[in-house]
């Protein structure tokens, strides 16, 4: 946890540029993971989706 505080303190000394870059990168990674999670449900299962058990 002290590493996060140190990184934020160093970023705040240089203005908002570094923090905004970190937030932008995190949001892009989060959007990619969200898209993967949502789109994996639409993957084809070999055509046996309409089984009547």
């Amino acid at each position: 946890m002290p590493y996060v505080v140190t990184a934020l303190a160093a970023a705040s000394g240089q203005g908002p540029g570094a923090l905004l870059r970190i937030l932008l990168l995190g949001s892009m990674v989060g959007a990619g993971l969200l898209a993967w999670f949502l789109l994996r449900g639409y993957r084809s299962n070999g055509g046996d989706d309409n089984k009547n058990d």
Side-chain angles (χ1 to χ4, degrees), residues 10-36:
S12 67
Q14 299 174 356
L19 181 62
L20 289 177
R21 267 185 256 137
I22 292 170
L23 289 175
L24 182 63
L25 182 63
S27 64
M28 289 172 59
V29 169
L33 288 173
L34 180 64
W36 170 78

Side-chain angles (χ1 to χ4, degrees), residues 40-51:
R40 71 181 185 146
Y42 295 109
R43 187 172 37 192
S44 176
N45 293 334
D48 56 354
D49 291 334
N50 295 328
K51 283 186 177 179

